[in-house]
Each structure stands twice: as structure tokens, then as C-alpha cells.
Amino acid sequence: MRLLGAPRERIGVISFTLEGVHPHDVGTILDQEGIAVRTGHLCAQPLLKRLGETAVVRASLAAYSRREDLDALAAGLRKVRETFA
Amino acid sequence: MTDLYQQTIVDHARRPRNFGPLPGANRSAEGTNPLCGDELILRLRLGDRIEAVAFEGAGCAVCLASASMMTLAVKDCSASEAARLMQRVRELVAGGNGANLGELESLKGVARYPARRKCALLAWRALEAALAGETTKVSTEL
């Protein structure tokens, strides 16, 4: 997994890619697991180009996100891996 | 687990067939899906029939698998046979019947994901353009 950006302080908005799986496929599988993320170029093509990506996955966490939500995201990402293993 | 990511789709996406340049190509078309960022270039060697076909590009599993399966399906087809096949695939991803389409039937699951239909059809749009001799880049948004 590649996390994009390395700020010293980070808010709960995290963009990432999984090697060998297109972000839209990640997004569709997470969606089937009931997890909503944004995928694609996020209307930020110049920045993504600079970062060497054409599309990413973005999870947006906030004050109301719970530990269970993160566990569900992790489980969903494992499912992505299994699907494309 | 899902009817979208069938083994056939995953296999073609991971190991696309006829992926690369095509020596002696006499037709080509570029396709783009600007909302996804998918891009591909399709090349044909066209005589009375499609003698050879290859593609290069980057996209999601649905896009790559559809392109890969297309190259196998349209080889040795005449232009009109290829056009009929394309029409069948269009109907398939819109929820129609995929009988006798072979591996392409694995695209049936796309019908449940309207946003992904364009991914499945990008290579076919490029094929249509290449056969017609269009020179402008084809886009799923036009």
C-alpha cells in the first residue's frame, strides 16, 4: 500500500493506492462491503501526475468515525487483495 | 464473492492478451475515459478481415479485461461481424442476453454497475473508430 503525502500533521483524509489493483476496482469492492470511499483522480490531475499516479483511493475519516469503521475498511482491503490475488 | 469480478475478468486484467505494439498495423484508434483516466490505444492489421489486433494502455480491471477479450473475439472477423459483436456486448452490459458470447459473457456483471459500463465499452468504441478510419481520439464522454 502506498500512502500519498507525508505531512507532519494529518487530518483524517487519507489517499492511497494498492499495488496491482486499479483504484476503481478497489472502490467497487469496498462499496460491495458497505464502505464508501472516493476513487479516481479526485479532480486533482496535476497533483496526481506529480505524485506519479493516475488514480487513487481516498478514505475520509472524521470525528464520528469509529474504530469499527476502520476495522471494516481494513477487512474490505483484505477482500480486495483476495479478489485480485 | 461478486458477479463483477469473475475469475475470467481478473485473469484477463492481470494478464491481458495481445497487449503491446502491433507490427504492420494499418489502423489505430485511441480511446479515453476522462472521468476514470482510462486510456488505451488499439491497433489493427485490417485486410478483408481483422488479421491481427493488439492494444496498450492503462485502466481498471473491467476496462483491461474487456479489451483483452475483445482482441481474442474479433480476430479474423470482418468489419461487419465485429460491428455485430460490438452491438451484442453493448446490449450485454446494459442487462441484455449474453448467450453464445463465450468469455465475453463474463462482462454480464457490469450491467449492475452503470458507472462501469463505459469501462467495459472503451475498447469497443476504439475498435469502432479504428474500423471506420476515424482519426480523432474517442472519448466515452462524447
Side-chain angles (χ1 to χ4, degrees), chain B residues 21-100:
Chain B
L22 182 66
N26 58 4
R27 294 289 178 94
S28 73
E30 282 180 78
T32 179
N33 187 338
L35 295 185
C36 291
D38 293 353
E39 299 236 7
L40 61 81
I41 179 160
L42 181 75
R43 297 186 182 92
L44 306 178
R45 202 156 67 230
L46 183 68
D48 291 339
R49 293 183 167 269
I50 297 172
E51 293 162 6
V53 49
F55 79 103
E56 292 180 89
C60 67
V62 173
C63 172
L64 293 178
S66 181
S68 173
M69 289 190 281
M70 183 190 81
T71 64
L72 298 176
V74 302
K75 185 171 183 306
D76 297 324
C77 281
S78 67
S80 60
E81 285 165 353
R84 274 200 295 279
L85 196 54
M86 176 165 30
Q87 188 52 36
R88 295 280 324 271
V89 172
R90 279 214 172 102
E91 289 164 12
L92 176 69
V93 300
N97 180 351
N100 305 317

Side-chain angles (χ1 to χ4, degrees), chain B residues 10-26:
Chain B
V10 172
D11 178 61
H12 275 274
R14 290 179 59 89
R15 298 184 304 116
R17 320 299 197 269
N18 300 303
F19 189 90
L22 182 66
N26 58 4

Side-chain angles (χ1 to χ4, degrees), chain B residues 95-135:
Chain B
N97 180 351
N100 305 317
L101 279 176
E103 281 194 322
L104 287 167
E105 287 182 45
S106 64
L107 290 170
K108 193 177 180 62
V110 175
R112 289 185 54 223
Y113 299 86
R116 306 302 292 280
R117 284 180 199 162
K118 289 171 184 170
C119 310
L121 293 175
L122 180 61
W124 295 87
R125 261 300 282 130
L127 176 67
E128 186 175 50
L131 288 172
E134 289 173 35
T135 50

